[in-house]
Amino acid sequence: MGWDAKFASRAERMRASEIRELLKLLDQPDIISFAGGIPDPALFPDAAFRAAYQDALTTANAGAALQYSISEGFPPLRRWLVGEMAKIGVPCGIDNIVITSGSQQALDYLGKLLLSPGDTALVTWPTYLGALQAFNAYEPRYDRLNPAQGNLTPAAYAEAAGQAGGRVKLAYLTPDFANPTGETLDRAARERVLDLADELDIAVIEDQAYQALRYDGEPVPAILALDIARKGHIDATRTIYCGSFSKTLAPGLRVGWVCAAAPVITKLVLMKQAADLHSPSINQMAMHHVAEHAFADQVAKIRAAYRHRRDRMLAALDRHMPEGVAWSRPEGGMFIWVTLPEGMDGASLLARAIETERVAFVPGSAFHADGSGTNTIRLNFSLAGDAAIDEGIMRLGRLIGASRRA
Ligand code: PMP
């Protein structure tokens, strides 16, 4: 069977990258990996989840926990989220929230909802790889959003999109502790994104997967909060906020949410119905139980642990990186972004790092829609312990120093 000829055109960009192949080697126990982007399982609130699932399976609750439920999501969980959104300056109602299977599903639905083939999505260079993968299925072209250093004019974006045969439809960004850079946009840059979106009359997708993981510095208002301040009410806004329990409580249950204007939520609910009917009832009930009983304590616990690891990695980078290497100093999240000396290639460095130093990371070009950024790499600090951080960064510094001299 010649499958390639049978696939739809949207399948063309669905390819495993070389990097993914390299990263398969990471199961080997002697490798120190800074490659993953995952929470430390030792910090999961497993006792709280045990109690939550037990509660969901009592005689009184099991019927609902094991039954089909509504596509919008478990109402008590959505009500809890209404309270959380209010705390970050987003007054909204239960009809402004839909539960998704992780925020990754929200990105897929939003690509499906907003992008026709040939339309333009504005993304930062670099951006979250999973967003590119989600949007790629809807066959967009990408243009560069650059809120920190300067966006193009609205007319320039619109003209380029028109020449490519479509329209600019959305801007996607991770304003807090971005994956992969760790960087946070200040308020002025967020306002500039809204100015641009207002001029172009496009949607803004605000991916806030890491928002709760702030280790120092002052919180910056969410773009949705700034949009509500402009327009007076969430139902008049253009910002679609994607939230997730994956980095705070646990990713395995696959529970995230979208908070946006009611007409957007109505469409997403219809899409959810068509795709998977609803997110698992029992997982939503368990997540609600743990959120109610343990959210604040859990967030405090992981913030303290990850802050320590970030500081440990920054100190190790200070000690071991040769001249000509620069890195971000994130105020939260899970990642440090390293810029290698000009001309050094992150992907070939990874191949050598695995082979000779038994240390791994993700090359930065994977996060660039245009494949640029070849001299950058992403380091994760949420998973490794102190000794592994010290040793791994020492080895990496040694390799980069040797590569420079070579
Ligand atoms: N957005 C960003 C920026 C992420 O880093 C991730 C997970 N790596 C996601 C969305 C998806 O997370 P989830 O589907 O688990 O909510």
mmCIF file of all heavy atoms in Angstrom, residues 253-299:
data_model
loop_
_atom_site.group_PDB
_atom_site.id
_atom_site.type_symbol
_atom_site.label_atom_id
_atom_site.label_comp_id
_atom_site.label_asym_id
_atom_site.label_seq_id
_atom_site.Cartn_x
_atom_site.Cartn_y
_atom_site.Cartn_z
ATOM 1 N N LEU A 253 -3.560 13.337 34.027
ATOM 2 C CA LEU A 253 -5.021 13.296 33.951
ATOM 3 C C LEU A 253 -5.534 13.978 32.696
ATOM 4 O O LEU A 253 -6.690 13.794 32.323
ATOM 5 C CB LEU A 253 -5.656 13.979 35.182
ATOM 6 C CG LEU A 253 -5.610 13.225 36.492
ATOM 7 C CD1 LEU A 253 -4.215 13.222 37.089
ATOM 8 C CD2 LEU A 253 -6.581 13.834 37.489
ATOM 9 N N ARG A 254 -4.677 14.790 32.058
ATOM 10 C CA ARG A 254 -5.014 15.552 30.861
ATOM 11 C C ARG A 254 -6.196 16.496 31.122
ATOM 12 O O ARG A 254 -7.276 16.352 30.553
ATOM 13 C CB ARG A 254 -5.325 14.633 29.663
ATOM 14 C CG ARG A 254 -4.288 13.543 29.375
ATOM 15 C CD ARG A 254 -2.867 14.073 29.235
ATOM 16 N NE ARG A 254 -2.717 15.031 28.142
ATOM 17 C CZ ARG A 254 -2.141 16.228 28.295
ATOM 18 N NH1 ARG A 254 -1.659 16.608 29.470
ATOM 19 N NH2 ARG A 254 -2.026 17.028 27.281
ATOM 20 N N VAL A 255 -6.000 17.450 31.997
ATOM 21 C CA VAL A 255 -7.047 18.445 32.244
ATOM 22 C C VAL A 255 -6.477 19.851 32.069
ATOM 23 O O VAL A 255 -5.533 20.241 32.758
ATOM 24 C CB VAL A 255 -7.667 18.304 33.660
ATOM 25 C CG1 VAL A 255 -8.781 19.344 33.854
ATOM 26 C CG2 VAL A 255 -8.242 16.897 33.860
ATOM 27 N N GLY A 256 -7.045 20.568 31.112
ATOM 28 C CA GLY A 256 -6.735 21.980 30.901
ATOM 29 C C GLY A 256 -8.033 22.725 30.667
ATOM 30 O O GLY A 256 -9.122 22.144 30.798
ATOM 31 N N TRP A 257 -7.937 24.014 30.378
ATOM 32 C CA TRP A 257 -9.171 24.768 30.130
ATOM 33 C C TRP A 257 -8.893 25.936 29.193
ATOM 34 O O TRP A 257 -7.750 26.369 29.033
ATOM 35 C CB TRP A 257 -9.783 25.278 31.432
ATOM 36 C CG TRP A 257 -9.022 26.362 32.138
ATOM 37 C CD1 TRP A 257 -9.235 27.722 32.060
ATOM 38 C CD2 TRP A 257 -7.932 26.206 33.071
ATOM 39 N NE1 TRP A 257 -8.354 28.404 32.877
ATOM 40 C CE2 TRP A 257 -7.543 27.499 33.504
ATOM 41 C CE3 TRP A 257 -7.232 25.098 33.574
ATOM 42 C CZ2 TRP A 257 -6.493 27.715 34.410
ATOM 43 C CZ3 TRP A 257 -6.188 25.321 34.474
ATOM 44 C CH2 TRP A 257 -5.829 26.607 34.880
ATOM 45 N N VAL A 258 -9.976 26.412 28.576
ATOM 46 C CA VAL A 258 -9.919 27.645 27.802
ATOM 47 C C VAL A 258 -10.878 28.627 28.455
ATOM 48 O O VAL A 258 -11.999 28.250 28.828
ATOM 49 C CB VAL A 258 -10.339 27.416 26.329
ATOM 50 C CG1 VAL A 258 -10.387 28.745 25.577
ATOM 51 C CG2 VAL A 258 -9.368 26.464 25.647
ATOM 52 N N CYS A 259 -10.428 29.875 28.612
ATOM 53 C CA CYS A 259 -11.273 30.945 29.127
ATOM 54 C C CYS A 259 -11.315 32.030 28.051
ATOM 55 O O CYS A 259 -10.262 32.549 27.657
ATOM 56 C CB CYS A 259 -10.688 31.471 30.434
ATOM 57 S SG CYS A 259 -11.672 32.797 31.171
ATOM 58 N N ALA A 260 -12.508 32.344 27.553
ATOM 59 C CA ALA A 260 -12.613 33.309 26.448
ATOM 60 C C ALA A 260 -14.048 33.803 26.321
ATOM 61 O O ALA A 260 -14.943 33.370 27.072
ATOM 62 C CB ALA A 260 -12.172 32.640 25.144
ATOM 63 N N ALA A 261 -14.257 34.679 25.354
ATOM 64 C CA ALA A 261 -15.598 35.192 25.057
ATOM 65 C C ALA A 261 -16.543 34.023 24.786
ATOM 66 O O ALA A 261 -16.159 33.025 24.164
ATOM 67 C CB ALA A 261 -15.527 36.124 23.852
ATOM 68 N N ALA A 262 -17.805 34.174 25.230
ATOM 69 C CA ALA A 262 -18.771 33.074 25.128
ATOM 70 C C ALA A 262 -18.931 32.526 23.700
ATOM 71 O O ALA A 262 -19.035 31.305 23.537
ATOM 72 C CB ALA A 262 -20.118 33.517 25.713
ATOM 73 N N PRO A 263 -18.922 33.369 22.657
ATOM 74 C CA PRO A 263 -19.082 32.791 21.308
ATOM 75 C C PRO A 263 -17.939 31.837 20.924
ATOM 76 O O PRO A 263 -18.158 30.854 20.200
ATOM 77 C CB PRO A 263 -19.071 34.020 20.380
ATOM 78 C CG PRO A 263 -19.428 35.169 21.256
ATOM 79 C CD PRO A 263 -18.932 34.843 22.631
ATOM 80 N N VAL A 264 -16.732 32.086 21.420
ATOM 81 C CA VAL A 264 -15.603 31.184 21.166
ATOM 82 C C VAL A 264 -15.828 29.874 21.911
ATOM 83 O O VAL A 264 -15.636 28.779 21.367
ATOM 84 C CB VAL A 264 -14.262 31.833 21.598
ATOM 85 C CG1 VAL A 264 -13.108 30.858 21.438
ATOM 86 C CG2 VAL A 264 -14.011 33.111 20.817
ATOM 87 N N ILE A 265 -16.245 29.980 23.174
ATOM 88 C CA ILE A 265 -16.467 28.774 23.989
ATOM 89 C C ILE A 265 -17.564 27.911 23.365
ATOM 90 O O ILE A 265 -17.433 26.677 23.296
ATOM 91 C CB ILE A 265 -16.838 29.161 25.452
ATOM 92 C CG1 ILE A 265 -15.708 29.981 26.097
ATOM 93 C CG2 ILE A 265 -17.170 27.915 26.280
ATOM 94 C CD1 ILE A 265 -14.375 29.280 26.213
ATOM 95 N N THR A 266 -18.626 28.539 22.873
ATOM 96 C CA THR A 266 -19.719 27.785 22.246
ATOM 97 C C THR A 266 -19.191 26.918 21.103
ATOM 98 O O THR A 266 -19.517 25.738 20.988
ATOM 99 C CB THR A 266 -20.779 28.760 21.705
ATOM 100 O OG1 THR A 266 -21.217 29.556 22.802
ATOM 101 C CG2 THR A 266 -21.967 28.037 21.095
ATOM 102 N N LYS A 267 -18.327 27.495 20.262
ATOM 103 C CA LYS A 267 -17.755 26.726 19.139
ATOM 104 C C LYS A 267 -16.835 25.616 19.652
ATOM 105 O O LYS A 267 -16.860 24.495 19.140
ATOM 106 C CB LYS A 267 -16.937 27.656 18.227
ATOM 107 C CG LYS A 267 -17.779 28.463 17.266
ATOM 108 C CD LYS A 267 -18.331 27.587 16.144
ATOM 109 C CE LYS A 267 -18.944 28.452 15.056
ATOM 110 N NZ LYS A 267 -19.943 27.707 14.276
ATOM 111 N N LEU A 268 -16.011 25.938 20.635
ATOM 112 C CA LEU A 268 -15.087 24.924 21.161
ATOM 113 C C LEU A 268 -15.859 23.741 21.756
ATOM 114 O O LEU A 268 -15.439 22.589 21.646
ATOM 115 C CB LEU A 268 -14.141 25.534 22.205
ATOM 116 C CG LEU A 268 -13.111 26.531 21.661
ATOM 117 C CD1 LEU A 268 -12.333 27.178 22.813
ATOM 118 C CD2 LEU A 268 -12.133 25.852 20.700
ATOM 119 N N VAL A 269 -16.994 24.029 22.393
ATOM 120 C CA VAL A 269 -17.808 22.952 22.974
ATOM 121 C C VAL A 269 -18.331 22.046 21.864
ATOM 122 O O VAL A 269 -18.301 20.809 21.986
ATOM 123 C CB VAL A 269 -18.966 23.550 23.817
ATOM 124 C CG1 VAL A 269 -19.986 22.468 24.188
ATOM 125 C CG2 VAL A 269 -18.418 24.211 25.076
ATOM 126 N N LEU A 270 -18.745 22.641 20.739
ATOM 127 C CA LEU A 270 -19.220 21.825 19.611
ATOM 128 C C LEU A 270 -18.084 20.970 19.043
ATOM 129 O O LEU A 270 -18.283 19.816 18.652
ATOM 130 C CB LEU A 270 -19.810 22.720 18.515
ATOM 131 C CG LEU A 270 -21.114 23.425 18.909
ATOM 132 C CD1 LEU A 270 -21.515 24.459 17.864
ATOM 133 C CD2 LEU A 270 -22.229 22.399 19.115
ATOM 134 N N MET A 271 -16.871 21.550 19.016
ATOM 135 C CA MET A 271 -15.718 20.804 18.510
ATOM 136 C C MET A 271 -15.372 19.652 19.447
ATOM 137 O O MET A 271 -15.004 18.558 19.022
ATOM 138 C CB MET A 271 -14.526 21.744 18.346
ATOM 139 C CG MET A 271 -14.786 22.800 17.293
ATOM 140 S SD MET A 271 -13.522 24.047 17.289
ATOM 141 C CE MET A 271 -12.263 23.153 16.470
ATOM 142 N N LYS A 272 -15.471 19.938 20.740
ATOM 143 C CA LYS A 272 -15.178 18.912 21.756
ATOM 144 C C LYS A 272 -16.169 17.756 21.607
ATOM 145 O O LYS A 272 -15.781 16.578 21.661
ATOM 146 C CB LYS A 272 -15.302 19.589 23.121
ATOM 147 C CG LYS A 272 -15.018 18.723 24.287
ATOM 148 C CD LYS A 272 -13.617 18.891 24.811
ATOM 149 C CE LYS A 272 -13.348 17.891 25.900
ATOM 150 N NZ LYS A 272 -12.097 17.171 25.755
ATOM 151 N N GLN A 273 -17.428 18.116 21.389
ATOM 152 C CA GLN A 273 -18.462 17.108 21.209
ATOM 153 C C GLN A 273 -18.127 16.197 20.020
ATOM 154 O O GLN A 273 -18.217 14.981 20.110
ATOM 155 C CB GLN A 273 -19.768 17.832 20.911
ATOM 156 C CG GLN A 273 -21.002 17.164 21.403
ATOM 157 C CD GLN A 273 -22.157 18.169 21.440
ATOM 158 O OE1 GLN A 273 -22.327 18.959 20.517
ATOM 159 N NE2 GLN A 273 -22.928 18.132 22.496
ATOM 160 N N ALA A 274 -17.692 16.809 18.937
ATOM 161 C CA ALA A 274 -17.398 16.040 17.726
ATOM 162 C C ALA A 274 -16.134 15.199 17.898
ATOM 163 O O ALA A 274 -16.025 14.112 17.347
ATOM 164 C CB ALA A 274 -17.242 16.987 16.541
ATOM 165 N N ALA A 275 -15.163 15.724 18.656
ATOM 166 C CA ALA A 275 -13.866 15.053 18.729
ATOM 167 C C ALA A 275 -13.834 13.931 19.763
ATOM 168 O O ALA A 275 -13.392 12.819 19.477
ATOM 169 C CB ALA A 275 -12.768 16.069 19.038
ATOM 170 N N ASP A 276 -14.263 14.238 21.012
ATOM 171 C CA ASP A 276 -14.164 13.194 22.051
ATOM 172 C C ASP A 276 -15.290 13.276 23.087
ATOM 173 O O ASP A 276 -15.151 12.714 24.171
ATOM 174 C CB ASP A 276 -12.773 13.226 22.718
ATOM 175 C CG ASP A 276 -12.486 14.493 23.497
ATOM 176 O OD1 ASP A 276 -13.309 15.429 23.436
ATOM 177 O OD2 ASP A 276 -11.450 14.553 24.177
ATOM 178 N N LEU A 277 -16.354 13.968 22.752
ATOM 179 C CA LEU A 277 -17.542 14.145 23.606
ATOM 180 C C LEU A 277 -17.263 14.985 24.853
ATOM 181 O O LEU A 277 -17.910 15.992 25.096
ATOM 182 C CB LEU A 277 -18.180 12.815 24.011
ATOM 183 C CG LEU A 277 -18.700 11.942 22.851
ATOM 184 C CD1 LEU A 277 -19.344 10.660 23.407
ATOM 185 C CD2 LEU A 277 -19.693 12.691 21.967
ATOM 186 N N HIS A 278 -16.273 14.580 25.627
ATOM 187 C CA HIS A 278 -15.902 15.359 26.821
ATOM 188 C C HIS A 278 -14.607 14.802 27.382
ATOM 189 O O HIS A 278 -14.228 13.667 27.059
ATOM 190 C CB HIS A 278 -17.007 15.299 27.882
ATOM 191 C CG HIS A 278 -17.317 13.905 28.365
ATOM 192 N ND1 HIS A 278 -16.576 13.265 29.320
ATOM 193 C CD2 HIS A 278 -18.278 13.022 27.989
ATOM 194 C CE1 HIS A 278 -17.064 12.051 29.535
ATOM 195 N NE2 HIS A 278 -18.088 11.870 28.731
ATOM 196 N N SER A 279 -13.946 15.588 28.223
ATOM 197 C CA SER A 279 -12.770 15.055 28.915
ATOM 198 C C SER A 279 -13.256 14.075 29.989
ATOM 199 O O SER A 279 -14.374 14.214 30.490
ATOM 200 C CB SER A 279 -11.958 16.199 29.532
ATOM 201 O OG SER A 279 -11.363 16.946 28.496
ATOM 202 N N PRO A 280 -12.419 13.094 30.362
ATOM 203 C CA PRO A 280 -12.871 12.035 31.271
ATOM 204 C C PRO A 280 -13.521 12.575 32.546
ATOM 205 O O PRO A 280 -12.930 13.392 33.267
ATOM 206 C CB PRO A 280 -11.576 11.281 31.585
ATOM 207 C CG PRO A 280 -10.734 11.480 30.357
ATOM 208 C CD PRO A 280 -11.055 12.868 29.882
ATOM 209 N N SER A 281 -14.741 12.105 32.813
ATOM 210 C CA SER A 281 -15.510 12.602 33.968
ATOM 211 C C SER A 281 -14.737 12.408 35.268
ATOM 212 O O SER A 281 -14.619 13.321 36.087
ATOM 213 C CB SER A 281 -16.847 11.848 34.065
ATOM 214 O OG SER A 281 -17.490 11.803 32.822
ATOM 215 N N ILE A 282 -14.199 11.216 35.454
ATOM 216 C CA ILE A 282 -13.560 10.902 36.737
ATOM 217 C C ILE A 282 -12.303 11.761 36.941
ATOM 218 O O ILE A 282 -12.009 12.205 38.059
ATOM 219 C CB ILE A 282 -13.253 9.388 36.850
ATOM 220 C CG1 ILE A 282 -12.868 9.027 38.282
ATOM 221 C CG2 ILE A 282 -12.182 8.944 35.856
ATOM 222 C CD1 ILE A 282 -12.858 7.533 38.565
ATOM 223 N N ASN A 283 -11.587 12.043 35.867
ATOM 224 C CA ASN A 283 -10.383 12.875 35.998
ATOM 225 C C ASN A 283 -10.742 14.322 36.343
ATOM 226 O O ASN A 283 -10.045 14.977 37.126
ATOM 227 C CB ASN A 283 -9.574 12.847 34.706
ATOM 228 C CG ASN A 283 -8.928 11.505 34.467
ATOM 229 O OD1 ASN A 283 -9.033 10.618 35.312
ATOM 230 N ND2 ASN A 283 -8.275 11.351 33.333
ATOM 231 N N GLN A 284 -11.807 14.811 35.746
ATOM 232 C CA GLN A 284 -12.230 16.182 36.071
ATOM 233 C C GLN A 284 -12.678 16.270 37.529
ATOM 234 O O GLN A 284 -12.382 17.247 38.219
ATOM 235 C CB GLN A 284 -13.374 16.617 35.170
ATOM 236 C CG GLN A 284 -13.012 16.706 33.700
ATOM 237 C CD GLN A 284 -14.175 17.266 32.914
ATOM 238 O OE1 GLN A 284 -14.535 18.423 33.077
ATOM 239 N NE2 GLN A 284 -14.771 16.441 32.074
ATOM 240 N N MET A 285 -13.394 15.231 37.993
ATOM 241 C CA MET A 285 -13.843 15.238 39.389
ATOM 242 C C MET A 285 -12.646 15.160 40.336
ATOM 243 O O MET A 285 -12.585 15.868 41.341
ATOM 244 C CB MET A 285 -14.807 14.064 39.629
ATOM 245 C CG MET A 285 -16.133 14.269 38.923
ATOM 246 S SD MET A 285 -17.198 12.799 38.931
ATOM 247 C CE MET A 285 -17.807 12.800 40.607
ATOM 248 N N ALA A 286 -11.677 14.282 39.994
ATOM 249 C CA ALA A 286 -10.488 14.155 40.844
ATOM 250 C C ALA A 286 -9.691 15.464 40.844
ATOM 251 O O ALA A 286 -9.212 15.921 41.893
ATOM 252 C CB ALA A 286 -9.621 13.001 40.360
ATOM 253 N N MET A 287 -9.562 16.076 39.672
ATOM 254 C CA MET A 287 -8.798 17.332 39.593
ATOM 255 C C MET A 287 -9.472 18.415 40.433
ATOM 256 O O MET A 287 -8.815 19.171 41.137
ATOM 257 C CB MET A 287 -8.689 17.764 38.124
ATOM 258 C CG MET A 287 -7.566 18.717 37.848
ATOM 259 S SD MET A 287 -5.936 18.072 38.319
ATOM 260 C CE MET A 287 -5.275 17.538 36.763
ATOM 261 N N HIS A 288 -10.810 18.440 40.368
ATOM 262 C CA HIS A 288 -11.542 19.428 41.174
ATOM 263 C C HIS A 288 -11.291 19.202 42.663
ATOM 264 O O HIS A 288 -11.020 20.140 43.419
ATOM 265 C CB HIS A 288 -13.046 19.343 40.853
ATOM 266 C CG HIS A 288 -13.866 20.209 41.742
ATOM 267 N ND1 HIS A 288 -14.786 19.720 42.631
ATOM 268 C CD2 HIS A 288 -13.863 21.553 41.918
ATOM 269 C CE1 HIS A 288 -15.336 20.716 43.298
ATOM 270 N NE2 HIS A 288 -14.784 21.852 42.891
ATOM 271 N N HIS A 289 -11.339 17.945 43.070
ATOM 272 C CA HIS A 289 -11.137 17.589 44.478
ATOM 273 C C HIS A 289 -9.749 18.059 44.943
ATOM 274 O O HIS A 289 -9.601 18.717 45.978
ATOM 275 C CB HIS A 289 -11.281 16.068 44.616
ATOM 276 C CG HIS A 289 -11.373 15.572 46.026
ATOM 277 N ND1 HIS A 289 -10.266 15.403 46.821
ATOM 278 C CD2 HIS A 289 -12.431 15.195 46.789
ATOM 279 C CE1 HIS A 289 -10.647 14.952 48.010
ATOM 280 N NE2 HIS A 289 -11.961 14.819 48.012
ATOM 281 N N VAL A 290 -8.732 17.740 44.151
ATOM 282 C CA VAL A 290 -7.359 18.109 44.539
ATOM 283 C C VAL A 290 -7.175 19.635 44.472
ATOM 284 O O VAL A 290 -6.528 20.231 45.334
ATOM 285 C CB VAL A 290 -6.322 17.377 43.651
ATOM 286 C CG1 VAL A 290 -4.909 17.848 43.958
ATOM 287 C CG2 VAL A 290 -6.431 15.870 43.856
ATOM 288 N N ALA A 291 -7.756 20.256 43.449
ATOM 289 C CA ALA A 291 -7.646 21.719 43.342
ATOM 290 C C ALA A 291 -8.227 22.380 44.590
ATOM 291 O O ALA A 291 -7.625 23.278 45.177
ATOM 292 C CB ALA A 291 -8.359 22.208 42.079
ATOM 293 N N GLU A 292 -9.408 21.902 45.016
ATOM 294 C CA GLU A 292 -10.065 22.493 46.186
ATOM 295 C C GLU A 292 -9.268 22.279 47.465
ATOM 296 O O GLU A 292 -9.178 23.155 48.304
ATOM 297 C CB GLU A 292 -11.449 21.867 46.381
ATOM 298 C CG GLU A 292 -12.483 22.435 45.441
ATOM 299 C CD GLU A 292 -13.733 22.884 46.176
ATOM 300 O OE1 GLU A 292 -14.313 22.041 46.876
ATOM 301 O OE2 GLU A 292 -14.094 24.066 46.053
ATOM 302 N N HIS A 293 -8.694 21.085 47.606
ATOM 303 C CA HIS A 293 -8.064 20.736 48.877
ATOM 304 C C HIS A 293 -6.579 21.067 48.943
ATOM 305 O O HIS A 293 -6.040 21.245 50.026
ATOM 306 C CB HIS A 293 -8.253 19.245 49.182
ATOM 307 C CG HIS A 293 -9.665 18.882 49.499
ATOM 308 N ND1 HIS A 293 -10.577 18.569 48.525
ATOM 309 C CD2 HIS A 293 -10.332 18.811 50.672
ATOM 310 C CE1 HIS A 293 -11.751 18.309 49.079
ATOM 311 N NE2 HIS A 293 -11.625 18.457 50.399
ATOM 312 N N ALA A 294 -5.895 21.092 47.793
ATOM 313 C CA ALA A 294 -4.423 21.103 47.886
ATOM 314 C C ALA A 294 -3.720 22.073 46.937
ATOM 315 O O ALA A 294 -2.490 22.089 46.888
ATOM 316 C CB ALA A 294 -3.904 19.682 47.636
ATOM 317 N N PHE A 295 -4.472 22.876 46.164
ATOM 318 C CA PHE A 295 -3.824 23.661 45.106
ATOM 319 C C PHE A 295 -2.754 24.619 45.648
ATOM 320 O O PHE A 295 -1.603 24.607 45.191
ATOM 321 C CB PHE A 295 -4.878 24.443 44.306
ATOM 322 C CG PHE A 295 -4.313 25.059 43.052
ATOM 323 C CD1 PHE A 295 -4.048 24.279 41.932
ATOM 324 C CD2 PHE A 295 -4.031 26.416 42.981
ATOM 325 C CE1 PHE A 295 -3.523 24.834 40.772
ATOM 326 C CE2 PHE A 295 -3.502 26.984 41.830
ATOM 327 C CZ PHE A 295 -3.243 26.189 40.719
ATOM 328 N N ALA A 296 -3.126 25.434 46.625
ATOM 329 C CA ALA A 296 -2.196 26.463 47.104
ATOM 330 C C ALA A 296 -0.930 25.827 47.691
ATOM 331 O O ALA A 296 0.194 26.256 47.390
ATOM 332 C CB ALA A 296 -2.887 27.349 48.137
ATOM 333 N N ASP A 297 -1.109 24.787 48.502
ATOM 334 C CA ASP A 297 0.048 24.132 49.125
ATOM 335 C C ASP A 297 0.947 23.493 48.072
ATOM 336 O O ASP A 297 2.179 23.552 48.155
ATOM 337 C CB ASP A 297 -0.407 23.024 50.085
ATOM 338 C CG ASP A 297 -1.004 23.620 51.360
ATOM 339 O OD1 ASP A 297 -0.878 24.850 51.533
ATOM 340 O OD2 ASP A 297 -1.599 22.857 52.145
ATOM 341 N N GLN A 298 0.319 22.863 47.075
ATOM 342 C CA GLN A 298 1.090 22.185 46.040
ATOM 343 C C GLN A 298 1.901 23.204 45.227
ATOM 344 O O GLN A 298 3.074 22.985 44.919
ATOM 345 C CB GLN A 298 0.133 21.389 45.136
ATOM 346 C CG GLN A 298 0.795 20.735 43.944
ATOM 347 C CD GLN A 298 1.842 19.694 44.331
ATOM 348 O OE1 GLN A 298 1.877 19.246 45.480
ATOM 349 N NE2 GLN A 298 2.691 19.338 43.387
ATOM 350 N N VAL A 299 1.258 24.314 44.872
ATOM 351 C CA VAL A 299 1.963 25.330 44.075
ATOM 352 C C VAL A 299 3.129 25.905 44.893
ATOM 353 O O VAL A 299 4.234 26.093 44.365
ATOM 354 C CB VAL A 299 0.985 26.428 43.589
ATOM 355 C CG1 VAL A 299 1.743 27.602 43.004
ATOM 356 C CG2 VAL A 299 0.026 25.851 42.545
#
